[in-house]
Coordinates of all heavy atoms in Angstrom, one line a residue:
M1 N 0.8 -1.2 0.0 CA 0.0 0.0 0.0 C 0.9 1.2 0.0 O 1.7 1.4 0.9 CB -0.9 0.0 1.2 CG -2.0 1.1 1.2 SD -2.9 1.1 2.8 CE -1.8 2.1 3.8
A2 N 0.7 2.1 -1.0 CA 1.5 3.3 -1.1 C 0.8 4.4 -0.2 O -0.3 4.7 -0.4 CB 1.6 3.7 -2.5
A3 N 1.6 5.0 0.6 CA 1.1 6.1 1.4 C 1.1 7.4 0.5 O 1.8 7.5 -0.4 CB 2.1 6.4 2.6
T4 N 0.2 8.2 0.8 CA 0.1 9.5 0.1 C 1.4 10.2 0.3 O 1.9 10.3 1.4 CB -1.1 10.3 0.7 OG1 -2.2 9.6 0.8 CG2 -1.3 11.6 -0.2
K5 N 1.9 10.8 -0.7 CA 3.1 11.5 -0.6 C 3.0 12.8 0.2 O 2.1 13.6 0.0 CB 3.6 11.9 -2.0 CG 4.7 11.0 -2.6 CD 5.9 11.9 -3.1 CE 7.2 11.1 -3.1 NZ 7.4 10.3 -4.3
L6 N 3.8 12.9 1.2 CA 3.8 14.1 2.0 C 4.6 15.2 1.4 O 5.6 15.0 0.8 CB 4.5 13.8 3.4 CG 3.7 12.9 4.3 CD1 4.5 12.6 5.6 CD2 2.4 13.6 4.8
K7 N 4.0 16.4 1.5 CA 4.7 17.5 0.9 C 5.6 18.2 1.9 O 6.3 19.1 1.5 CB 3.6 18.5 0.4 CG 2.8 18.0 -0.7 CD 1.6 19.0 -1.0 CE 0.7 18.4 -2.0 NZ -0.5 19.2 -2.2
I8 N 5.6 17.7 3.1 CA 6.4 18.2 4.1 C 7.7 17.4 4.2 O 7.7 16.2 4.2 CB 5.7 18.2 5.5 CG1 4.3 18.8 5.4 CG2 6.5 18.8 6.6 CD1 4.3 20.3 5.3
R9 N 8.8 18.2 4.4 CA 10.1 17.5 4.5 C 10.8 18.0 5.8 O 10.5 19.1 6.3 CB 11.0 17.8 3.3 CG 10.5 17.2 2.1 CD 11.3 17.6 0.9 NE 10.6 17.4 -0.4 CZ 11.0 18.0 -1.5 NH1 12.0 18.8 -1.5 NH2 10.3 17.7 -2.6
K10 N 11.8 17.3 6.2 CA 12.6 17.7 7.3 C 13.2 19.0 7.1 O 13.6 19.3 5.9 CB 13.7 16.6 7.5 CG 14.3 16.5 8.9 CD 15.2 15.3 9.0 CE 16.0 15.4 10.2 NZ 16.9 14.3 10.4
K11 N 13.3 19.8 8.1 CA 13.8 21.2 8.1 C 12.9 22.2 7.4 O 13.2 23.4 7.4 CB 15.2 21.2 7.4 CG 16.2 20.5 8.2 CD 17.7 20.8 7.8 CE 18.6 20.1 8.7 NZ 19.9 19.9 8.1
D12 N 11.7 21.8 7.0 CA 10.8 22.8 6.5 C 10.3 23.7 7.6 O 10.2 23.2 8.8 CB 9.5 22.1 5.9 CG 9.7 21.6 4.5 OD1 10.7 22.0 3.9 OD2 8.9 20.8 4.1
N13 N 9.9 24.9 7.3 CA 9.3 25.7 8.3 C 7.8 25.7 8.1 O 7.3 25.9 7.0 CB 9.8 27.2 8.1 CG 9.4 28.0 9.3 OD1 9.3 27.6 10.4 ND2 9.3 29.3 9.1
V14 N 7.0 25.3 9.1 CA 5.6 25.1 8.9 C 4.8 25.8 10.0 O 5.4 26.2 11.0 CB 5.2 23.6 9.0 CG1 5.9 22.8 7.9 CG2 5.6 23.0 10.4
M15 N 3.5 26.0 9.7 CA 2.6 26.6 10.7 C 1.6 25.5 11.1 O 1.1 24.8 10.2 CB 1.9 27.8 10.2 CG 1.0 28.5 11.2 SD 0.2 30.0 10.7 CE 1.5 31.2 11.0
V16 N 1.3 25.5 12.4 CA 0.3 24.5 12.9 C -1.1 25.2 12.7 O -1.3 26.3 13.1 CB 0.5 24.2 14.4 CG1 -0.5 23.3 14.9 CG2 1.9 23.7 14.6
M17 N -2.0 24.4 12.0 CA -3.3 25.0 11.6 C -4.4 24.7 12.6 O -5.5 25.3 12.5 CB -3.6 24.5 10.2 CG -2.6 24.9 9.2 SD -2.0 26.6 9.2 CE -3.4 27.4 8.6
S18 N -4.2 23.7 13.4 CA -5.3 23.4 14.4 C -4.7 22.7 15.6 O -3.5 22.3 15.7 CB -6.3 22.4 13.7 OG -5.7 21.2 13.4
G19 N -5.5 22.6 16.6 CA -5.1 22.0 17.9 C -4.5 23.0 18.9 O -4.6 24.2 18.7
R20 N -3.9 22.5 19.9 CA -3.4 23.2 21.0 C -2.4 24.3 20.6 O -2.3 25.4 21.2 CB -2.8 22.3 22.0 CG -2.3 22.9 23.3 CD -2.2 21.8 24.4 NE -1.3 20.7 24.0 CZ 0.0 20.6 24.4 NH1 0.5 21.5 25.2 NH2 0.7 19.6 24.0
D21 N -1.6 24.0 19.6 CA -0.5 24.8 19.2 C -0.8 25.6 17.9 O 0.1 26.0 17.2 CB 0.8 24.0 19.0 CG 1.3 23.5 20.3 OD1 1.5 24.3 21.2 OD2 1.6 22.3 20.5
K22 N -2.1 25.8 17.6 CA -2.5 26.5 16.5 C -1.8 27.8 16.3 O -1.8 28.6 17.3 CB -4.1 26.7 16.6 CG -4.7 27.3 15.3 CD -6.2 27.4 15.5 CE -6.8 28.1 14.4 NZ -8.3 28.1 14.5
G23 N -1.4 28.1 15.1 CA -0.7 29.4 14.9 C 0.8 29.4 15.1 O 1.4 30.4 14.7
K24 N 1.3 28.4 15.8 CA 2.7 28.4 16.0 C 3.5 27.9 14.8 O 3.0 27.2 14.0 CB 3.0 27.3 17.1 CG 3.0 27.8 18.5 CD 3.6 26.8 19.4 CE 3.4 27.1 20.9 NZ 4.0 26.1 21.8
T25 N 4.7 28.5 14.6 CA 5.5 28.0 13.5 C 6.7 27.3 14.1 O 7.1 27.6 15.2 CB 5.9 29.2 12.6 OG1 6.6 30.1 13.4 CG2 4.8 29.8 11.9
G26 N 7.3 26.4 13.3 CA 8.5 25.8 13.8 C 9.1 24.9 12.6 O 8.5 24.7 11.6
E27 N 10.2 24.4 12.9 CA 10.9 23.6 12.0 C 10.6 22.1 12.1 O 10.4 21.6 13.2 CB 12.4 23.8 12.2 CG 13.3 23.1 11.1 CD 14.8 23.2 11.5 OE1 15.2 24.4 11.8 OE2 15.5 22.2 11.5
I28 N 10.4 21.5 11.0 CA 10.1 20.0 11.0 C 11.4 19.3 11.5 O 12.5 19.4 10.9 CB 9.7 19.5 9.6 CG1 8.4 20.2 9.2 CG2 9.7 18.0 9.6 CD1 7.2 19.6 9.8
L29 N 11.3 18.6 12.5 CA 12.4 17.8 13.1 C 12.5 16.4 12.5 O 13.5 15.8 12.3 CB 12.4 17.7 14.6 CG 12.4 19.0 15.4 CD1 12.2 18.8 16.8 CD2 13.7 19.8 15.1
K30 N 11.2 15.9 12.2 CA 11.2 14.5 11.8 C 9.9 14.3 11.0 O 8.8 14.9 11.4 CB 11.1 13.6 13.0 CG 11.4 12.2 12.8 CD 11.5 11.4 14.1 CE 11.6 10.0 13.9 NZ 11.4 9.2 15.2
V31 N 9.9 13.5 10.0 CA 8.7 13.1 9.2 C 8.5 11.6 9.4 O 9.5 10.9 9.3 CB 8.9 13.5 7.7 CG1 7.6 13.1 7.0 CG2 9.1 15.0 7.6
I32 N 7.3 11.2 9.7 CA 7.0 9.8 9.9 C 6.0 9.4 8.8 O 4.8 9.5 9.1 CB 6.5 9.5 11.3 CG1 7.4 10.1 12.4 CG2 6.4 8.0 11.6 CD1 6.8 10.3 13.7
P33 N 6.4 9.1 7.6 CA 5.5 8.9 6.5 C 4.5 7.8 6.8 O 3.4 7.9 6.3 CB 6.4 8.6 5.3 CG 7.8 9.0 5.7 CD 7.8 8.9 7.2
A34 N 4.9 6.8 7.4 CA 4.1 5.6 7.7 C 2.8 6.0 8.5 O 1.7 5.4 8.3 CB 4.8 4.5 8.4
D35 N 3.0 7.0 9.4 CA 1.9 7.4 10.2 C 1.3 8.7 9.7 O 0.4 9.3 10.4 CB 2.4 7.6 11.7 CG 2.7 6.3 12.3 OD1 2.2 5.3 11.9 OD2 3.5 6.3 13.3
M36 N 1.8 9.3 8.7 CA 1.4 10.6 8.2 C 1.5 11.6 9.3 O 0.7 12.5 9.5 CB 0.0 10.6 7.7 CG -0.2 9.7 6.5 SD 0.6 10.3 5.0 CE -0.6 11.5 4.5
R37 N 2.6 11.5 10.0 CA 2.8 12.4 11.2 C 4.2 13.1 11.0 O 5.1 12.7 10.4 CB 2.8 11.7 12.5 CG 1.4 11.3 12.9 CD 1.4 10.4 14.1 NE 0.0 10.2 14.6 CZ -0.6 11.0 15.4 NH1 0.0 12.0 16.0 NH2 -1.9 10.8 15.7
V38 N 4.2 14.3 11.7 CA 5.5 15.0 11.7 C 5.8 15.5 13.1 O 4.9 15.6 14.0 CB 5.4 16.3 10.8 CG1 5.3 15.9 9.3 CG2 4.2 17.2 11.2
V39 N 7.1 15.7 13.4 CA 7.5 16.3 14.7 C 8.0 17.7 14.4 O 8.8 17.9 13.5 CB 8.6 15.5 15.3 CG1 9.0 16.1 16.6 CG2 8.1 14.1 15.6
V40 N 7.4 18.7 15.0 CA 7.7 20.1 14.8 C 8.4 20.7 16.1 O 7.9 20.4 17.2 CB 6.4 20.9 14.5 CG1 6.8 22.4 14.1 CG2 5.6 20.3 13.4
A41 N 9.5 21.4 15.9 CA 10.2 21.9 17.0 C 9.3 22.8 17.9 O 8.6 23.7 17.4 CB 11.4 22.8 16.5
K42 N 9.3 22.5 19.2 CA 8.6 23.3 20.2 C 7.1 23.2 20.1 O 6.3 24.0 20.6 CB 9.0 24.7 20.2 CG 10.5 24.9 20.4 CD 10.9 24.5 21.8 CE 12.4 24.6 22.0 NZ 12.9 23.8 23.2
V43 N 6.6 22.2 19.3 CA 5.1 22.1 19.1 C 4.7 20.8 19.7 O 5.4 19.8 19.5 CB 4.7 22.2 17.6 CG1 3.3 21.7 17.4 CG2 4.9 23.6 17.1
N44 N 3.5 20.8 20.4 CA 3.0 19.6 21.0 C 4.0 19.0 22.0 O 4.3 17.8 22.0 CB 2.6 18.5 19.9 CG 1.6 17.5 20.4 OD1 0.8 17.8 21.3 ND2 1.6 16.3 19.9
M45 N 4.5 19.9 22.8 CA 5.5 19.4 23.8 C 4.8 18.5 24.9 O 3.7 18.8 25.3 CB 6.1 20.6 24.5 CG 6.9 21.6 23.6 SD 8.4 20.8 22.9 CE 9.4 20.7 24.3
I46 N 5.5 17.5 25.2 CA 5.0 16.6 26.3 C 6.1 16.5 27.3 O 7.2 16.6 27.0 CB 4.6 15.2 25.8 CG1 5.7 14.6 25.0 CG2 3.3 15.3 24.9 CD1 5.5 13.1 24.8
A47 N 5.6 16.3 28.6 CA 6.6 16.1 29.6 C 6.7 14.6 29.9 O 5.7 13.9 30.1 CB 6.1 16.8 30.9
K48 N 7.9 14.1 29.9 CA 8.2 12.7 30.1 C 8.8 12.6 31.5 O 9.8 13.2 31.8 CB 9.1 12.2 29.1 CG 8.5 11.0 28.3 CD 9.5 10.4 27.4 CE 8.9 9.1 26.8 NZ 9.8 8.5 25.9
H49 N 8.1 11.9 32.4 CA 8.7 11.7 33.7 C 9.6 10.5 33.7 O 9.2 9.4 33.3 CB 7.5 11.5 34.7 CG 6.6 12.6 34.8 ND1 6.7 13.6 35.7 CD2 5.6 13.0 34.0 CE1 5.8 14.5 35.5 NE2 5.1 14.1 34.4
R50 N 10.8 10.7 34.2 CA 11.8 9.6 34.1 C 12.2 9.3 35.6 O 12.5 10.2 36.4 CB 13.0 10.0 33.3 CG 12.6 10.4 31.9 CD 13.8 10.7 31.1 NE 14.5 9.4 30.8 CZ 15.5 9.3 29.9 NH1 15.9 10.4 29.3 NH2 16.1 8.1 29.7
K51 N 12.4 8.1 35.8 CA 12.9 7.6 37.1 C 14.4 7.6 37.0 O 15.0 7.3 35.9 CB 12.4 6.3 37.5 CG 10.9 6.3 37.9 CD 10.5 4.9 38.3 CE 9.0 5.0 38.8 NZ 8.3 3.7 38.7
P52 N 15.1 7.9 38.1 CA 16.6 7.9 38.0 C 17.0 6.4 37.8 O 16.4 5.5 38.3 CB 17.0 8.3 39.4 CG 15.8 8.8 40.1 CD 14.6 8.3 39.4
R53 N 17.9 6.3 36.9 CA 18.4 4.9 36.6 C 19.9 5.0 36.5 O 20.5 5.7 35.7 CB 17.8 4.5 35.3 CG 18.0 3.0 35.0 CD 17.3 2.6 33.7 NE 15.8 2.9 33.8 CZ 15.0 2.9 32.7 NH1 15.5 2.8 31.5 NH2 13.7 3.1 32.8
G54 N 20.6 4.2 37.3 CA 22.0 4.2 37.3 C 22.6 5.6 37.6 O 22.2 6.2 38.5
S55 N 23.4 6.0 36.6 CA 24.0 7.3 36.8 C 23.1 8.4 36.3 O 23.4 9.6 36.5 CB 25.4 7.3 36.1 OG 25.2 7.1 34.7
E56 N 22.1 8.1 35.6 CA 21.2 9.1 35.0 C 20.2 9.7 36.1 O 19.5 8.9 36.7 CB 20.4 8.6 33.9 CG 21.1 8.4 32.6 CD 20.2 7.8 31.5 OE1 19.1 8.3 31.3 OE2 20.6 6.8 30.9
P57 N 20.2 11.0 36.2 CA 19.2 11.5 37.2 C 17.8 11.4 36.6 O 17.6 11.5 35.4 CB 19.7 13.0 37.3 CG 20.4 13.3 36.0 CD 21.0 12.0 35.5
G58 N 16.9 11.4 37.5 CA 15.5 11.3 37.1 C 15.0 12.7 36.9 O 15.8 13.7 36.9
G59 N 13.7 12.9 36.7 CA 13.1 14.2 36.5 C 12.2 14.3 35.3 O 11.8 13.2 34.7
I60 N 11.9 15.5 34.9 CA 10.9 15.6 33.8 C 11.7 16.1 32.6 O 12.5 17.0 32.6 CB 9.8 16.7 34.2 CG1 9.1 16.2 35.4 CG2 8.9 16.9 33.0 CD1 8.1 17.2 36.0
Q61 N 11.5 15.4 31.5 CA 12.1 15.7 30.3 C 11.1 16.2 29.3 O 10.0 15.5 29.1 CB 12.8 14.5 29.7 CG 13.7 14.8 28.6 CD 14.2 13.5 27.8 OE1 13.7 12.4 28.1 NE2 15.1 13.7 26.9
H62 N 11.3 17.3 28.7 CA 10.3 17.8 27.8 C 10.7 17.5 26.4 O 11.9 17.6 26.0 CB 10.2 19.4 27.9 CG 9.6 19.8 29.2 ND1 8.3 19.9 29.4 CD2 10.2 20.1 30.4 CE1 8.0 20.2 30.6 NE2 9.2 20.4 31.3
M63 N 9.8 17.0 25.6 CA 10.1 16.6 24.2 C 8.9 16.8 23.3 O 7.7 16.9 23.8 CB 10.6 15.2 24.2 CG 9.6 14.2 24.7 SD 10.2 12.5 24.6 CE 10.1 12.2 22.8
E64 N 9.1 16.9 22.0 CA 8.0 17.0 21.1 C 7.4 15.7 20.8 O 8.1 14.7 20.5 CB 8.6 17.7 19.8 CG 9.0 19.1 19.9 CD 10.5 19.3 20.3 OE1 11.1 18.3 20.6 OE2 10.9 20.4 20.2
A65 N 6.0 15.7 20.7 CA 5.3 14.5 20.3 C 4.8 14.8 18.9 O 4.6 15.9 18.5 CB 4.1 14.3 21.2
P66 N 4.8 13.7 18.1 CA 4.3 13.9 16.7 C 2.9 14.4 16.6 O 2.1 14.1 17.4 CB 4.4 12.4 16.1 CG 5.3 11.7 17.1 CD 5.1 12.3 18.4
I67 N 2.6 15.2 15.5 CA 1.3 15.6 15.2 C 0.9 15.2 13.8 O 1.8 14.9 13.0 CB 1.0 17.1 15.4 CG1 1.9 17.9 14.5 CG2 1.3 17.5 16.9 CD1 1.6 19.4 14.5
A68 N -0.3 15.2 13.5 CA -0.8 14.8 12.1 C -0.2 15.7 11.1 O -0.3 17.0 11.3 CB -2.3 14.7 12.1
A69 N 0.3 15.2 10.0 CA 0.9 16.0 9.0 C -0.2 17.0 8.4 O 0.1 18.0 7.9 CB 1.5 15.2 7.9
S70 N -1.4 16.5 8.4 CA -2.5 17.3 7.9 C -2.8 18.6 8.7 O -3.5 19.5 8.2 CB -3.8 16.5 7.8 OG -4.2 16.1 9.1
K71 N -2.2 18.7 9.9 CA -2.5 19.8 10.7 C -1.5 20.9 10.5 O -1.6 22.0 11.1 CB -2.4 19.4 12.2 CG -3.6 18.7 12.7 CD -3.5 18.5 14.2 CE -4.8 17.8 14.7 NZ -4.7 17.6 16.2
V72 N -0.4 20.7 9.7 CA 0.5 21.7 9.4 C 0.6 22.1 8.0 O 0.2 21.3 7.1 CB 2.0 21.3 9.9 CG1 2.0 20.9 11.3 CG2 2.5 20.2 9.0
M73 N 0.9 23.4 7.8 CA 1.1 23.8 6.4 C 2.5 24.4 6.2 O 3.0 25.1 7.1 CB 0.0 24.9 6.1 CG -1.3 24.3 5.7 SD -2.5 25.6 5.3 CE -2.2 25.8 3.5
L74 N 3.0 24.2 5.1 CA 4.4 24.7 4.8 C 4.3 26.3 4.7 O 3.4 26.8 4.1 CB 4.8 24.1 3.4 CG 6.2 24.4 3.0 CD1 7.2 23.8 4.0 CD2 6.4 23.8 1.6
M75 N 5.3 26.9 5.2 CA 5.3 28.4 5.2 C 6.0 28.8 3.8 O 7.0 28.2 3.5 CB 6.1 29.0 6.3 CG 5.5 28.8 7.7 SD 4.0 29.9 7.9 CE 4.8 31.4 8.1
C76 N 5.4 29.7 3.2 CA 6.1 30.3 2.0 C 7.0 31.4 2.4 O 6.6 32.3 3.1 CB 5.1 30.8 1.0 SG 5.8 31.7 -0.4
P77 N 8.3 31.3 2.1 CA 9.3 32.3 2.5 C 9.0 33.7 1.9 O 9.4 34.7 2.5 CB 10.6 31.7 2.1 CG 10.4 30.7 1.1 CD 9.0 30.2 1.3
K78 N 8.3 33.7 0.8 CA 8.1 35.0 0.1 C 6.8 35.6 0.7 O 6.8 36.8 1.0 CB 7.9 34.7 -1.4 CG 8.1 36.0 -2.2 CD 8.3 35.6 -3.7 CE 8.2 36.8 -4.6 NZ 8.2 36.4 -6.0
C79 N 5.7 34.9 0.8 CA 4.5 35.4 1.3 C 4.6 35.6 2.8 O 3.8 36.3 3.4 CB 3.3 34.5 1.0 SG 3.0 34.0 -0.7
E80 N 5.4 34.8 3.4 CA 5.5 34.7 4.9 C 4.2 34.3 5.5 O 3.8 34.8 6.5 CB 6.0 36.0 5.5 CG 7.4 36.4 5.1 CD 8.0 37.6 5.7 OE1 7.2 38.5 6.0 OE2 9.2 37.7 5.8
K81 N 3.5 33.4 4.8 CA 2.2 32.9 5.2 C 2.2 31.4 4.9 O 3.0 30.9 4.0 CB 1.1 33.5 4.4 CG 0.7 34.9 4.8 CD -0.4 35.4 3.9 CE -0.6 36.9 4.1 NZ -1.4 37.5 3.0
P82 N 1.3 30.7 5.6 CA 1.2 29.3 5.2 C 0.7 29.2 3.8 O -0.2 29.9 3.4 CB 0.1 28.7 6.1 CG -0.1 29.8 7.2 CD 0.4 31.1 6.6
A83 N 1.3 28.3 3.0 CA 1.0 28.2 1.6 C 0.4 26.9 1.2 O 0.8 25.9 1.7 CB 2.3 28.5 0.8
R84 N -0.5 27.0 0.3 CA -1.0 25.8 -0.4 C 0.0 25.5 -1.5 O 0.5 26.4 -2.2 CB -2.4 26.0 -1.0 CG -3.4 26.3 0.1 CD -4.8 25.8 -0.3 NE -5.3 26.4 -1.4 CZ -5.8 25.8 -2.5 NH1 -6.0 24.5 -2.4 NH2 -6.3 26.4 -3.5
I85 N 0.4 24.3 -1.5 CA 1.5 23.9 -2.3 C 1.1 23.1 -3.6 O 0.2 22.3 -3.6 CB 2.5 22.9 -1.5 CG1 3.0 23.7 -0.3 CG2 3.6 22.4 -2.4 CD1 3.8 24.9 -0.6
R86 N 1.7 23.5 -4.7 CA 1.5 22.8 -5.9 C 2.8 22.0 -6.2 O 3.9 22.6 -6.1 CB 1.3 23.9 -7.0 CG 0.9 23.4 -8.4 CD 0.7 24.5 -9.3 NE 1.9 25.3 -9.4 CZ 1.9 26.7 -9.6 NH1 0.8 27.3 -9.6 NH2 3.0 27.3 -9.7
L87 N 2.6 20.8 -6.6 CA 3.8 20.0 -6.9 C 4.0 20.1 -8.4 O 3.1 20.0 -9.2 CB 3.6 18.5 -6.5 CG 3.6 18.2 -5.0 CD1 3.4 16.7 -4.8 CD2 5.0 18.6 -4.4
E88 N 5.3 20.3 -8.8 CA 5.6 20.4 -10.2 C 6.7 19.5 -10.5 O 7.7 19.4 -9.7 CB 6.1 21.9 -10.5 CG 5.0 22.8 -10.6 CD 5.5 24.3 -10.8 OE1 6.7 24.5 -10.7 OE2 4.6 25.1 -11.1
R89 N 6.6 18.8 -11.6 CA 7.7 18.0 -12.0 C 8.7 18.7 -12.9 O 8.3 19.3 -13.9 CB 7.2 16.7 -12.7 CG 8.3 15.6 -12.8 CD 7.7 14.3 -13.2 NE 6.9 13.7 -12.2 CZ 7.3 13.0 -11.2 NH1 8.6 12.8 -11.0 NH2 6.5 12.4 -10.3
L90 N 9.9 18.8 -12.5 CA 10.9 19.5 -13.3 C 11.4 18.6 -14.4 O 11.2 17.4 -14.4 CB 12.1 19.8 -12.3 CG 11.8 20.6 -11.1 CD1 13.1 20.8 -10.2 CD2 11.3 22.0 -11.5
P91 N 12.0 19.3 -15.4 CA 12.5 18.5 -16.6 C 13.4 17.3 -16.2 O 13.4 16.3 -16.9 CB 13.3 19.5 -17.4 CG 12.7 20.9 -17.0 CD 12.3 20.7 -15.5
D92 N 14.1 17.4 -15.1 CA 15.0 16.3 -14.7 C 14.3 15.2 -14.0 O 14.9 14.3 -13.5 CB 16.2 16.8 -14.0 CG 15.9 17.5 -12.6 OD1 14.6 17.5 -12.3 OD2 16.7 18.0 -11.9
G93 N 13.0 15.4 -13.8 CA 12.2 14.3 -13.2 C 12.0 14.5 -11.7 O 11.2 13.8 -11.1
K94 N 12.6 15.5 -11.1 CA 12.5 15.8 -9.7 C 11.2 16.6 -9.5 O 10.8 17.3 -10.3 CB 13.7 16.6 -9.1 CG 14.9 15.7 -8.9 CD 16.0 16.5 -8.3 CE 17.3 15.8 -8.3 NZ 18.4 16.7 -8.1
L95 N 10.7 16.4 -8.3 CA 9.5 17.2 -7.9 C 9.9 18.4 -7.2 O 10.7 18.4 -6.3 CB 8.6 16.3 -7.0 CG 7.7 15.3 -7.7 CD1 6.9 14.6 -6.6 CD2 6.7 16.0 -8.6
S96 N 9.3 19.5 -7.6 CA 9.5 20.7 -6.8 C 8.2 21.2 -6.2 O 7.1 20.8 -6.7 CB 10.2 21.8 -7.7 OG 9.1 22.5 -8.4
R97 N 8.3 22.0 -5.2 CA 7.1 22.5 -4.6 C 7.0 24.0 -4.8 O 7.9 24.7 -4.7 CB 7.1 22.2 -3.1 CG 7.3 20.7 -2.8 CD 7.5 20.4 -1.4 NE 8.7 21.1 -0.9 CZ 9.0 21.1 0.4 NH1 8.3 20.5 1.3 NH2 10.1 21.7 0.8
A98 N 5.8 24.4 -5.2 CA 5.6 25.9 -5.5 C 4.4 26.4 -4.7 O 3.4 25.7 -4.5 CB 5.5 26.1 -7.0
C99 N 4.5 27.6 -4.2 CA 3.4 28.3 -3.6 C 2.3 28.6 -4.6 O 2.6 29.1 -5.6 CB 4.0 29.5 -2.9 SG 2.7 30.6 -2.2
R100 N 1.1 28.2 -4.2 CA 0.0 28.5 -5.2 C -0.3 30.0 -5.2 O -1.0 30.4 -6.2 CB -1.2 27.8 -4.7 CG -1.3 26.3 -5.1 CD -2.6 25.7 -4.7 NE -2.5 24.2 -4.8 CZ -3.0 23.5 -5.8 NH1 -3.6 24.1 -6.8 NH2 -2.9 22.2 -5.7
R101 N 0.1 30.7 -4.2 CA -0.3 32.1 -4.2 C 0.7 33.0 -5.0 O 0.3 33.7 -5.8 CB -0.3 32.6 -2.7 CG -0.9 34.0 -2.5 CD -0.8 34.4 -1.0 NE -1.6 33.6 -0.2 CZ -1.1 32.9 0.8 NH1 0.1 32.8 1.1 NH2 -1.9 32.2 1.6
C102 N 2.0 32.8 -4.8 CA 2.9 33.6 -5.5 C 3.8 32.9 -6.5 O 4.6 33.5 -7.2 CB 3.8 34.3 -4.5 SG 5.0 33.2 -3.6
G103 N 3.7 31.6 -6.5 CA 4.5 30.8 -7.4 C 5.9 30.5 -7.0 O 6.7 29.9 -7.7
E104 N 6.3 31.0 -5.9 CA 7.6 30.8 -5.3 C 7.9 29.3 -5.2 O 7.1 28.6 -4.7 CB 7.8 31.5 -4.0 CG 9.1 31.3 -3.3 CD 10.2 32.3 -3.8 OE1 9.9 33.1 -4.8 OE2 11.3 32.3 -3.2
V105 N 9.1 28.9 -5.7 CA 9.5 27.5 -5.6 C 10.1 27.3 -4.2 O 11.0 28.1 -3.8 CB 10.4 27.1 -6.7 CG1 11.0 25.7 -6.4 CG2 9.7 27.2 -8.0
I106 N 9.6 26.4 -3.5 CA 10.1 26.1 -2.1 C 10.9 24.8 -2.2 O 10.3 23.7 -2.5 CB 8.9 26.0 -1.1 CG1 8.1 27.3 -1.2 CG2 9.5 25.7 0.3 CD1 6.8 27.2 -0.5
L107 N 12.1 24.9 -1.9 CA 13.0 23.7 -2.1 C 12.9 22.8 -0.8 O 12.6 23.3 0.3 CB 14.4 24.0 -2.4 CG 14.5 24.7 -3.8 CD1 15.9 25.2 -4.0 CD2 14.2 23.7 -4.9
Ligands
LIG201 ZN1 4.1 32.4 -1.7

């Protein structure tokens, strides 16, 4: 079964469109295509309680939990707004992403 191609890639700057962190922007840290989920820096932070183990001290560790890829939109660097993306196939066969609003190609 082929998963729908995600338009989001690692290191993209995205905006969260719904949920607790709506309106926040951040960098994509990780893409999980199998789950159609992404991890965005400083978005959907969860506290993980850890018990001390061996030489490691216990305490609360904050980390990002994955959110649904459908909840984020790629930011267009030109519009400085979340952009609807059009996929274009380049002559060399590679896919490029372009902002539907201004046509800016987002690599
Ligand atoms: Zn744009």
